Amino acid sequence: MTKVAPPTFPCFYPCWTAERLRAAMELYEHGQNLKHLYVDSVHLYYLAALLALVFVCFKFAKLMISRAQQIKVLEAFPGPPTHWLFGHVHEFKQDGTDLDKVVKWGEKYPQVFPMWFGPFTSFLNIHHPSYVKTILATTEPKDDIAYRFLIPWIGNGLLVSQGQKWFRHRRLLTPGFHYDVLKPYVKLIADSTKTMLDKWETHAKTEKSFDVFGSVSLMTLDSIMKCAFSCNSNCQTESGTNAYIKAVYDLCTLVNTRFRIFPYHSEILFHLSPHGYQFRKACQLAHRHTEEVIKKRKEALKNQKEDLIPKKRYLDFLDILLCASDENQQGLSDEDLRAEVDTFMFEGHDTTASGISWIFYTLACHSEHQQKCREEILQVLGDKDTMDWEDLAKIPYTSMCIKESLRLYPPVPGISRKLTKPMMFSDGRSVPAGFLVSVSIFGLHRNATVWENPNMFDPLRYLPENTAKRSPHAFVPFSAGPRNCIGQTFAMNEMKVAVALTLRRYELIKDPYHTPKMLPRLVLRSLNGIYLKIRPVQPNT
């Protein structure tokens, strides 16, 4: 007979027990479950990928619709040719010619022209008084792109806040800039300026030029610490590079970099980038500086209540911040307090440092005007080596030279707003709500249809009879309207004191081998520094 092979299923093997059979069946069922889980996971991944693709397509479609809408609006505003991907970003080489390019475009489009930053972000760039008046007469908020990048640094303070919060903070902070508050600051600024000029003696003994921006920045930081926060920082006399000033410089550069690189507009991508890491590190340093200032003042106020220290002879900006309260007796929160201190710390030293440095440069380039200023200053000050509040109004020619330098080299070369409602300009053209409008202060100040010989240094433009012939919105170094610079009087006083005491002591001489290249970095800087030579003023000069 033929032998029949036994069945291959394991249960027919005599060595398999019932327990082993159950275990084998459980393993088999487990394997089937794993197979189903794997299939389900693959389906889940496909679903997630599909949802991500749908989301990306949706966002891209929104961007394309927004682009089409912007193009339609801007049809009424001709401008320079634009690249479909880069917009106008590739036109700006960061080589010191960017602002000149804006002025050149303005010659062809003397009132307004659009500018694109990437494929989806456009600004209506205005540089004529009639257009500037329309936008600056409103309280429209700052734009939510470039200014948004400042918030991690300076918080939601007066510069970037909007609506009721801006109105409330503006009202609470305004008393801090009353002339009674500003009056004692003149002596403090003079002391800081004299410290800087003493340090310059080493440069005066040589024939070599030096970059004035660094030392002026230290001087303005020293002044703001003394005036606004009653703090002797000794930042001008301590050795090494000041960490706070370096942090501010880095933050200005990084904010500009983030604005120019479209992918960096994403919070996630910027956070993961090397630039994002540098930004957070610089923010931490700047915030530590601010927190230390606030901490010291709170301790001082506590000690003052306990009569451990004498009262100050004047109120400063921080006193007013700490004591400010509205009609409901509500003051500033700790977060709002730090934001306003961070804002004023930056704007109160960096913009004035820029203004003073470029004033020194323009006076060095125009020795005849420098000498007229010096003669006026010496006549007012006499034998004094300081300056008093009353002296500020006695140097009109010097003040006109300061204004003319601010026209040619505005410390803040541009500002921008986002419209909350439609806006119609004086010529009948209009833009809808949600549109971004920028004011090129640099372009406005060099607009040939507004200023005769706009590139020429001419202080007589500010004689009363000449000023009366111009629109008040032709010269706006501190902006204008309800959202103008709240600290402009403080800034002008500081510039007058610094210029007067410097010209009393030194002659400023241009270095022909170091012509500064303008670089917009929130404030107007120089790509290669602002190098000058100085010479002691002779007693009979």
Side-chain angles (χ1 to χ4, degrees), residues 74-115:
L74 294 174
E75 286 177 353
F77 302 94
T82 179
H83 188 276
W84 69 272
L85 178 62
F86 300 112
H88 294 106
V89 172
H90 67 297
E91 297 277 1
F92 299 110
K93 309 298 184 182
Q94 304 286 288
D95 59 356
T97 63
D98 294 350
L99 291 172
D100 294 329
K101 187 177 292 292
V102 172
V103 173
K104 185 178 180 181
W105 286 341
E107 292 173 358
K108 189 173 182 180
Y109 312 100
Q111 291 183 318
V112 56
F113 58 86
M115 289 179 64

mmCIF file of all heavy atoms in Angstrom, residues 74-115:
data_model
loop_
_atom_site.group_PDB
_atom_site.id
_atom_site.type_symbol
_atom_site.label_atom_id
_atom_site.label_comp_id
_atom_site.label_asym_id
_atom_site.label_seq_id
_atom_site.Cartn_x
_atom_site.Cartn_y
_atom_site.Cartn_z
ATOM 1 N N LEU A 74 -2.648 98.468 -7.598
ATOM 2 C CA LEU A 74 -1.456 99.234 -7.965
ATOM 3 C C LEU A 74 -1.407 99.608 -9.435
ATOM 4 O O LEU A 74 -0.457 100.280 -9.870
ATOM 5 C CB LEU A 74 -0.196 98.431 -7.588
ATOM 6 C CG LEU A 74 0.016 98.218 -6.082
ATOM 7 C CD1 LEU A 74 1.189 97.304 -5.822
ATOM 8 C CD2 LEU A 74 0.206 99.554 -5.367
ATOM 9 N N GLU A 75 -2.400 99.191 -10.210
ATOM 10 C CA GLU A 75 -2.449 99.598 -11.616
ATOM 11 C C GLU A 75 -2.523 101.116 -11.751
ATOM 12 O O GLU A 75 -2.064 101.687 -12.727
ATOM 13 C CB GLU A 75 -3.650 98.959 -12.304
ATOM 14 C CG GLU A 75 -3.483 97.467 -12.579
ATOM 15 C CD GLU A 75 -4.733 96.852 -13.192
ATOM 16 O OE1 GLU A 75 -5.772 97.569 -13.271
ATOM 17 O OE2 GLU A 75 -4.703 95.675 -13.587
ATOM 18 N N ALA A 76 -3.107 101.765 -10.745
ATOM 19 C CA ALA A 76 -3.234 103.226 -10.774
ATOM 20 C C ALA A 76 -1.942 103.930 -10.386
ATOM 21 O O ALA A 76 -1.845 105.157 -10.505
ATOM 22 C CB ALA A 76 -4.363 103.666 -9.838
ATOM 23 N N PHE A 77 -0.950 103.154 -9.925
ATOM 24 C CA PHE A 77 0.305 103.747 -9.445
ATOM 25 C C PHE A 77 1.476 103.125 -10.208
ATOM 26 O O PHE A 77 2.018 102.092 -9.794
ATOM 27 C CB PHE A 77 0.473 103.501 -7.953
ATOM 28 C CG PHE A 77 -0.650 104.035 -7.108
ATOM 29 C CD1 PHE A 77 -1.721 103.213 -6.752
ATOM 30 C CD2 PHE A 77 -0.646 105.354 -6.678
ATOM 31 C CE1 PHE A 77 -2.753 103.685 -5.972
ATOM 32 C CE2 PHE A 77 -1.687 105.839 -5.896
ATOM 33 C CZ PHE A 77 -2.746 105.013 -5.546
ATOM 34 N N PRO A 78 1.884 103.722 -11.320
ATOM 35 C CA PRO A 78 3.026 103.154 -12.068
ATOM 36 C C PRO A 78 4.304 103.236 -11.255
ATOM 37 O O PRO A 78 4.470 104.115 -10.399
ATOM 38 C CB PRO A 78 3.097 104.043 -13.318
ATOM 39 C CG PRO A 78 2.396 105.309 -12.932
ATOM 40 C CD PRO A 78 1.343 104.926 -11.941
ATOM 41 N N GLY A 79 5.214 102.287 -11.515
ATOM 42 C CA GLY A 79 6.458 102.252 -10.771
ATOM 43 C C GLY A 79 7.533 101.513 -11.519
ATOM 44 O O GLY A 79 7.331 101.083 -12.673
ATOM 45 N N PRO A 80 8.693 101.344 -10.915
ATOM 46 C CA PRO A 80 9.810 100.664 -11.586
ATOM 47 C C PRO A 80 9.481 99.203 -11.857
ATOM 48 O O PRO A 80 8.677 98.600 -11.141
ATOM 49 C CB PRO A 80 10.952 100.803 -10.584
ATOM 50 C CG PRO A 80 10.285 101.015 -9.258
ATOM 51 C CD PRO A 80 9.033 101.760 -9.545
ATOM 52 N N PRO A 81 10.079 98.615 -12.903
ATOM 53 C CA PRO A 81 9.833 97.200 -13.226
ATOM 54 C C PRO A 81 10.154 96.303 -12.043
ATOM 55 O O PRO A 81 11.064 96.574 -11.257
ATOM 56 C CB PRO A 81 10.788 96.939 -14.407
ATOM 57 C CG PRO A 81 11.091 98.286 -14.970
ATOM 58 C CD PRO A 81 11.035 99.244 -13.829
ATOM 59 N N THR A 82 9.394 95.223 -11.937
ATOM 60 C CA THR A 82 9.557 94.319 -10.807
ATOM 61 C C THR A 82 9.785 92.897 -11.270
ATOM 62 O O THR A 82 9.260 92.480 -12.313
ATOM 63 C CB THR A 82 8.322 94.385 -9.885
ATOM 64 O OG1 THR A 82 8.483 93.491 -8.805
ATOM 65 C CG2 THR A 82 7.062 94.026 -10.640
ATOM 66 N N HIS A 83 10.575 92.144 -10.531
ATOM 67 C CA HIS A 83 10.811 90.726 -10.809
ATOM 68 C C HIS A 83 9.644 89.918 -10.241
ATOM 69 O O HIS A 83 9.165 90.203 -9.137
ATOM 70 C CB HIS A 83 12.134 90.289 -10.172
ATOM 71 C CG HIS A 83 12.576 88.913 -10.553
ATOM 72 N ND1 HIS A 83 12.115 87.781 -9.915
ATOM 73 C CD2 HIS A 83 13.440 88.483 -11.521
ATOM 74 C CE1 HIS A 83 12.689 86.716 -10.453
ATOM 75 N NE2 HIS A 83 13.484 87.107 -11.434
ATOM 76 N N TRP A 84 9.187 88.888 -10.958
ATOM 77 C CA TRP A 84 7.998 88.140 -10.532
ATOM 78 C C TRP A 84 8.197 87.440 -9.190
ATOM 79 O O TRP A 84 7.238 87.236 -8.446
ATOM 80 C CB TRP A 84 7.620 87.109 -11.591
ATOM 81 C CG TRP A 84 8.603 85.970 -11.717
ATOM 82 C CD1 TRP A 84 9.710 85.933 -12.498
ATOM 83 C CD2 TRP A 84 8.564 84.723 -11.012
ATOM 84 N NE1 TRP A 84 10.389 84.745 -12.345
ATOM 85 C CE2 TRP A 84 9.698 83.974 -11.437
ATOM 86 C CE3 TRP A 84 7.704 84.159 -10.072
ATOM 87 C CZ2 TRP A 84 9.985 82.706 -10.931
ATOM 88 C CZ3 TRP A 84 7.985 82.891 -9.578
ATOM 89 C CH2 TRP A 84 9.106 82.173 -10.011
ATOM 90 N N LEU A 85 9.442 87.064 -8.864
ATOM 91 C CA LEU A 85 9.707 86.342 -7.617
ATOM 92 C C LEU A 85 10.287 87.252 -6.540
ATOM 93 O O LEU A 85 9.805 87.284 -5.408
ATOM 94 C CB LEU A 85 10.653 85.174 -7.873
ATOM 95 C CG LEU A 85 11.067 84.354 -6.637
ATOM 96 C CD1 LEU A 85 9.842 83.714 -5.989
ATOM 97 C CD2 LEU A 85 12.097 83.282 -7.014
ATOM 98 N N PHE A 86 11.322 88.019 -6.887
ATOM 99 C CA PHE A 86 12.024 88.832 -5.890
ATOM 100 C C PHE A 86 11.390 90.204 -5.678
ATOM 101 O O PHE A 86 11.695 90.870 -4.701
ATOM 102 C CB PHE A 86 13.484 89.009 -6.290
ATOM 103 C CG PHE A 86 14.240 87.718 -6.411
ATOM 104 C CD1 PHE A 86 14.679 87.269 -7.646
ATOM 105 C CD2 PHE A 86 14.487 86.943 -5.293
ATOM 106 C CE1 PHE A 86 15.365 86.070 -7.757
ATOM 107 C CE2 PHE A 86 15.171 85.744 -5.393
ATOM 108 C CZ PHE A 86 15.607 85.303 -6.635
ATOM 109 N N GLY A 87 10.532 90.612 -6.585
ATOM 110 C CA GLY A 87 10.005 91.967 -6.500
ATOM 111 C C GLY A 87 11.110 92.965 -6.777
ATOM 112 O O GLY A 87 11.730 92.951 -7.839
ATOM 113 N N HIS A 88 11.386 93.825 -5.790
ATOM 114 C CA HIS A 88 12.481 94.798 -5.916
ATOM 115 C C HIS A 88 13.643 94.491 -4.975
ATOM 116 O O HIS A 88 14.608 95.249 -4.934
ATOM 117 C CB HIS A 88 11.968 96.219 -5.642
ATOM 118 C CG HIS A 88 10.981 96.717 -6.657
ATOM 119 N ND1 HIS A 88 9.639 96.810 -6.395
ATOM 120 C CD2 HIS A 88 11.142 97.127 -7.944
ATOM 121 C CE1 HIS A 88 9.004 97.270 -7.462
ATOM 122 N NE2 HIS A 88 9.894 97.467 -8.415
ATOM 123 N N VAL A 89 13.523 93.387 -4.218
ATOM 124 C CA VAL A 89 14.550 93.076 -3.226
ATOM 125 C C VAL A 89 15.924 92.941 -3.876
ATOM 126 O O VAL A 89 16.933 93.428 -3.338
ATOM 127 C CB VAL A 89 14.197 91.789 -2.452
ATOM 128 C CG1 VAL A 89 15.354 91.361 -1.555
ATOM 129 C CG2 VAL A 89 12.945 92.002 -1.610
ATOM 130 N N HIS A 90 15.977 92.306 -5.042
ATOM 131 C CA HIS A 90 17.278 92.082 -5.688
ATOM 132 C C HIS A 90 17.912 93.376 -6.172
ATOM 133 O O HIS A 90 19.100 93.403 -6.514
ATOM 134 C CB HIS A 90 17.125 91.109 -6.854
ATOM 135 C CG HIS A 90 16.326 91.660 -8.004
ATOM 136 N ND1 HIS A 90 14.996 92.010 -7.894
ATOM 137 C CD2 HIS A 90 16.672 91.944 -9.283
ATOM 138 C CE1 HIS A 90 14.552 92.475 -9.042
ATOM 139 N NE2 HIS A 90 15.553 92.441 -9.904
ATOM 140 N N GLU A 91 17.126 94.463 -6.213
ATOM 141 C CA GLU A 91 17.673 95.764 -6.629
ATOM 142 C C GLU A 91 18.508 96.406 -5.520
ATOM 143 O O GLU A 91 19.344 97.267 -5.789
ATOM 144 C CB GLU A 91 16.533 96.712 -7.009
ATOM 145 C CG GLU A 91 15.695 96.264 -8.193
ATOM 146 C CD GLU A 91 16.327 96.645 -9.519
ATOM 147 O OE1 GLU A 91 17.429 97.232 -9.501
ATOM 148 O OE2 GLU A 91 15.714 96.356 -10.562
ATOM 149 N N PHE A 92 18.240 95.985 -4.281
ATOM 150 C CA PHE A 92 18.928 96.592 -3.143
ATOM 151 C C PHE A 92 20.104 95.707 -2.736
ATOM 152 O O PHE A 92 19.923 94.630 -2.173
ATOM 153 C CB PHE A 92 17.952 96.788 -1.982
ATOM 154 C CG PHE A 92 16.809 97.699 -2.326
ATOM 155 C CD1 PHE A 92 15.524 97.202 -2.467
ATOM 156 C CD2 PHE A 92 17.022 99.044 -2.530
ATOM 157 C CE1 PHE A 92 14.465 98.029 -2.798
ATOM 158 C CE2 PHE A 92 15.981 99.894 -2.862
ATOM 159 C CZ PHE A 92 14.697 99.384 -3.000
ATOM 160 N N LYS A 93 21.299 96.177 -3.023
ATOM 161 C CA LYS A 93 22.519 95.373 -2.865
ATOM 162 C C LYS A 93 23.146 95.494 -1.480
ATOM 163 O O LYS A 93 24.145 94.828 -1.197
ATOM 164 C CB LYS A 93 23.550 95.799 -3.919
ATOM 165 C CG LYS A 93 23.025 95.845 -5.351
ATOM 166 C CD LYS A 93 22.572 94.483 -5.837
ATOM 167 C CE LYS A 93 22.148 94.537 -7.296
ATOM 168 N NZ LYS A 93 21.647 93.234 -7.786
ATOM 169 N N GLN A 94 22.612 96.370 -0.630
ATOM 170 C CA GLN A 94 23.195 96.589 0.698
ATOM 171 C C GLN A 94 24.653 97.039 0.598
ATOM 172 O O GLN A 94 25.497 96.668 1.402
ATOM 173 C CB GLN A 94 23.111 95.299 1.535
ATOM 174 C CG GLN A 94 21.710 94.724 1.679
ATOM 175 C CD GLN A 94 20.851 95.523 2.643
ATOM 176 O OE1 GLN A 94 21.057 95.483 3.839
ATOM 177 N NE2 GLN A 94 19.877 96.236 2.118
ATOM 178 N N ASP A 95 24.927 97.848 -0.425
ATOM 179 C CA ASP A 95 26.296 98.295 -0.675
ATOM 180 C C ASP A 95 26.468 99.800 -0.505
ATOM 181 O O ASP A 95 27.486 100.373 -0.899
ATOM 182 C CB ASP A 95 26.738 97.890 -2.086
ATOM 183 C CG ASP A 95 25.839 98.483 -3.172
ATOM 184 O OD1 ASP A 95 24.835 99.150 -2.826
ATOM 185 O OD2 ASP A 95 26.132 98.276 -4.364
ATOM 186 N N GLY A 96 25.475 100.444 0.080
ATOM 187 C CA GLY A 96 25.553 101.885 0.291
ATOM 188 C C GLY A 96 24.855 102.696 -0.785
ATOM 189 O O GLY A 96 24.872 103.930 -0.728
ATOM 190 N N THR A 97 24.232 102.040 -1.780
ATOM 191 C CA THR A 97 23.561 102.767 -2.869
ATOM 192 C C THR A 97 22.054 102.592 -2.847
ATOM 193 O O THR A 97 21.358 103.116 -3.721
ATOM 194 C CB THR A 97 24.092 102.286 -4.232
ATOM 195 O OG1 THR A 97 23.768 100.894 -4.402
ATOM 196 C CG2 THR A 97 25.611 102.453 -4.325
ATOM 197 N N ASP A 98 21.537 101.856 -1.865
ATOM 198 C CA ASP A 98 20.108 101.530 -1.864
ATOM 199 C C ASP A 98 19.224 102.769 -1.794
ATOM 200 O O ASP A 98 18.225 102.885 -2.514
ATOM 201 C CB ASP A 98 19.788 100.601 -0.694
ATOM 202 C CG ASP A 98 20.446 99.241 -0.840
ATOM 203 O OD1 ASP A 98 20.988 98.970 -1.929
ATOM 204 O OD2 ASP A 98 20.430 98.455 0.129
ATOM 205 N N LEU A 99 19.556 103.703 -0.910
ATOM 206 C CA LEU A 99 18.730 104.897 -0.764
ATOM 207 C C LEU A 99 18.834 105.799 -1.984
ATOM 208 O O LEU A 99 17.862 106.469 -2.355
ATOM 209 C CB LEU A 99 19.140 105.651 0.502
ATOM 210 C CG LEU A 99 18.780 104.941 1.815
ATOM 211 C CD1 LEU A 99 19.406 105.660 3.005
ATOM 212 C CD2 LEU A 99 17.275 104.846 1.993
ATOM 213 N N ASP A 100 19.993 105.810 -2.618
ATOM 214 C CA ASP A 100 20.142 106.579 -3.855
ATOM 215 C C ASP A 100 19.231 106.023 -4.945
ATOM 216 O O ASP A 100 18.702 106.773 -5.776
ATOM 217 C CB ASP A 100 21.597 106.551 -4.336
ATOM 218 C CG ASP A 100 22.531 107.281 -3.387
ATOM 219 O OD1 ASP A 100 22.076 108.244 -2.739
ATOM 220 O OD2 ASP A 100 23.705 106.893 -3.282
ATOM 221 N N LYS A 101 19.045 104.706 -4.945
ATOM 222 C CA LYS A 101 18.162 104.085 -5.931
ATOM 223 C C LYS A 101 16.719 104.528 -5.719
ATOM 224 O O LYS A 101 15.986 104.791 -6.681
ATOM 225 C CB LYS A 101 18.276 102.560 -5.845
ATOM 226 C CG LYS A 101 17.521 101.813 -6.943
ATOM 227 C CD LYS A 101 17.733 100.332 -6.840
ATOM 228 C CE LYS A 101 19.157 99.953 -7.172
ATOM 229 N NZ LYS A 101 19.476 100.180 -8.592
ATOM 230 N N VAL A 102 16.306 104.632 -4.441
ATOM 231 C CA VAL A 102 14.955 105.099 -4.140
ATOM 232 C C VAL A 102 14.760 106.523 -4.652
ATOM 233 O O VAL A 102 13.717 106.859 -5.227
ATOM 234 C CB VAL A 102 14.684 105.018 -2.623
ATOM 235 C CG1 VAL A 102 13.351 105.680 -2.268
ATOM 236 C CG2 VAL A 102 14.686 103.564 -2.155
ATOM 237 N N VAL A 103 15.769 107.375 -4.459
ATOM 238 C CA VAL A 103 15.690 108.756 -4.941
ATOM 239 C C VAL A 103 15.631 108.788 -6.469
ATOM 240 O O VAL A 103 14.868 109.564 -7.064
ATOM 241 C CB VAL A 103 16.894 109.579 -4.427
ATOM 242 C CG1 VAL A 103 16.922 110.956 -5.067
ATOM 243 C CG2 VAL A 103 16.829 109.714 -2.905
ATOM 244 N N LYS A 104 16.401 107.931 -7.117
ATOM 245 C CA LYS A 104 16.408 107.872 -8.584
ATOM 246 C C LYS A 104 15.044 107.456 -9.115
ATOM 247 O O LYS A 104 14.534 108.036 -10.087
ATOM 248 C CB LYS A 104 17.483 106.898 -9.053
ATOM 249 C CG LYS A 104 17.652 106.853 -10.561
ATOM 250 C CD LYS A 104 18.765 105.916 -10.970
ATOM 251 C CE LYS A 104 18.916 105.875 -12.487
ATOM 252 N NZ LYS A 104 20.001 104.944 -12.917
ATOM 253 N N TRP A 105 14.438 106.458 -8.500
ATOM 254 C CA TRP A 105 13.086 106.062 -8.901
ATOM 255 C C TRP A 105 12.107 107.212 -8.671
ATOM 256 O O TRP A 105 11.186 107.424 -9.448
ATOM 257 C CB TRP A 105 12.642 104.828 -8.128
ATOM 258 C CG TRP A 105 13.287 103.556 -8.580
ATOM 259 C CD1 TRP A 105 13.904 103.332 -9.770
ATOM 260 C CD2 TRP A 105 13.393 102.330 -7.842
ATOM 261 N NE1 TRP A 105 14.388 102.039 -9.835
ATOM 262 C CE2 TRP A 105 14.090 101.403 -8.668
ATOM 263 C CE3 TRP A 105 12.986 101.923 -6.581
ATOM 264 C CZ2 TRP A 105 14.363 100.100 -8.254
ATOM 265 C CZ3 TRP A 105 13.245 100.629 -6.171
ATOM 266 C CH2 TRP A 105 13.935 99.720 -6.999
ATOM 267 N N GLY A 106 12.338 107.961 -7.588
ATOM 268 C CA GLY A 106 11.458 109.083 -7.278
ATOM 269 C C GLY A 106 11.510 110.184 -8.313
ATOM 270 O O GLY A 106 10.538 110.939 -8.481
ATOM 271 N N GLU A 107 12.633 110.309 -9.021
ATOM 272 C CA GLU A 107 12.728 111.320 -10.080
ATOM 273 C C GLU A 107 11.766 111.004 -11.223
ATOM 274 O O GLU A 107 11.224 111.910 -11.862
ATOM 275 C CB GLU A 107 14.166 111.382 -10.596
ATOM 276 C CG GLU A 107 15.150 111.937 -9.571
ATOM 277 C CD GLU A 107 16.592 111.820 -10.043
ATOM 278 O OE1 GLU A 107 16.815 111.278 -11.155
ATOM 279 O OE2 GLU A 107 17.501 112.267 -9.315
ATOM 280 N N LYS A 108 11.547 109.716 -11.479
ATOM 281 C CA LYS A 108 10.626 109.304 -12.542
ATOM 282 C C LYS A 108 9.191 109.260 -12.051
ATOM 283 O O LYS A 108 8.251 109.523 -12.820
ATOM 284 C CB LYS A 108 11.040 107.933 -13.080
ATOM 285 C CG LYS A 108 10.280 107.509 -14.316
ATOM 286 C CD LYS A 108 10.854 106.227 -14.899
ATOM 287 C CE LYS A 108 10.103 105.824 -16.173
ATOM 288 N NZ LYS A 108 10.642 104.572 -16.771
ATOM 289 N N TYR A 109 9.010 108.945 -10.784
ATOM 290 C CA TYR A 109 7.668 108.869 -10.193
ATOM 291 C C TYR A 109 7.655 109.796 -8.975
ATOM 292 O O TYR A 109 7.846 109.353 -7.834
ATOM 293 C CB TYR A 109 7.349 107.429 -9.779
ATOM 294 C CG TYR A 109 7.665 106.411 -10.854
ATOM 295 C CD1 TYR A 109 8.838 105.649 -10.807
ATOM 296 C CD2 TYR A 109 6.809 106.214 -11.942
ATOM 297 C CE1 TYR A 109 9.144 104.722 -11.790
ATOM 298 C CE2 TYR A 109 7.111 105.290 -12.940
ATOM 299 C CZ TYR A 109 8.272 104.547 -12.854
ATOM 300 O OH TYR A 109 8.572 103.633 -13.832
ATOM 301 N N PRO A 110 7.462 111.102 -9.189
ATOM 302 C CA PRO A 110 7.751 112.109 -8.155
ATOM 303 C C PRO A 110 6.812 112.147 -6.960
ATOM 304 O O PRO A 110 7.078 112.884 -6.016
ATOM 305 C CB PRO A 110 7.674 113.423 -8.948
ATOM 306 C CG PRO A 110 6.800 113.112 -10.114
ATOM 307 C CD PRO A 110 7.033 111.699 -10.463
ATOM 308 N N GLN A 111 5.735 111.399 -6.961
ATOM 309 C CA GLN A 111 4.826 111.419 -5.816
ATOM 310 C C GLN A 111 4.780 110.086 -5.083
ATOM 311 O O GLN A 111 4.878 110.036 -3.858
ATOM 312 C CB GLN A 111 3.410 111.800 -6.268
ATOM 313 C CG GLN A 111 3.277 113.238 -6.727
ATOM 314 C CD GLN A 111 1.842 113.568 -7.088
ATOM 315 O OE1 GLN A 111 1.149 112.779 -7.729
ATOM 316 N NE2 GLN A 111 1.393 114.740 -6.672
ATOM 317 N N VAL A 112 4.639 109.017 -5.857
ATOM 318 C CA VAL A 112 4.399 107.717 -5.247
ATOM 319 C C VAL A 112 4.729 106.631 -6.260
ATOM 320 O O VAL A 112 4.586 106.829 -7.466
ATOM 321 C CB VAL A 112 2.926 107.608 -4.791
ATOM 322 C CG1 VAL A 112 1.973 107.854 -5.940
ATOM 323 C CG2 VAL A 112 2.631 106.268 -4.147
ATOM 324 N N PHE A 113 5.202 105.490 -5.777
ATOM 325 C CA PHE A 113 5.377 104.318 -6.634
ATOM 326 C C PHE A 113 5.351 103.066 -5.764
ATOM 327 O O PHE A 113 5.707 103.109 -4.575
ATOM 328 C CB PHE A 113 6.682 104.392 -7.448
ATOM 329 C CG PHE A 113 7.930 104.513 -6.623
ATOM 330 C CD1 PHE A 113 8.568 103.389 -6.118
ATOM 331 C CD2 PHE A 113 8.488 105.760 -6.362
ATOM 332 C CE1 PHE A 113 9.724 103.486 -5.372
ATOM 333 C CE2 PHE A 113 9.643 105.879 -5.612
ATOM 334 C CZ PHE A 113 10.267 104.741 -5.118
ATOM 335 N N PRO A 114 4.909 101.934 -6.323
ATOM 336 C CA PRO A 114 4.855 100.700 -5.540
ATOM 337 C C PRO A 114 6.219 100.040 -5.433
ATOM 338 O O PRO A 114 7.059 100.178 -6.325
ATOM 339 C CB PRO A 114 3.878 99.815 -6.330
ATOM 340 C CG PRO A 114 3.955 100.324 -7.725
ATOM 341 C CD PRO A 114 4.313 101.776 -7.644
ATOM 342 N N MET A 115 6.420 99.323 -4.345
ATOM 343 C CA MET A 115 7.632 98.530 -4.155
ATOM 344 C C MET A 115 7.216 97.154 -3.654
ATOM 345 O O MET A 115 6.386 97.042 -2.752
ATOM 346 C CB MET A 115 8.579 99.200 -3.155
ATOM 347 C CG MET A 115 9.241 100.453 -3.680
ATOM 348 S SD MET A 115 10.336 101.234 -2.467
ATOM 349 C CE MET A 115 11.568 99.979 -2.263
#
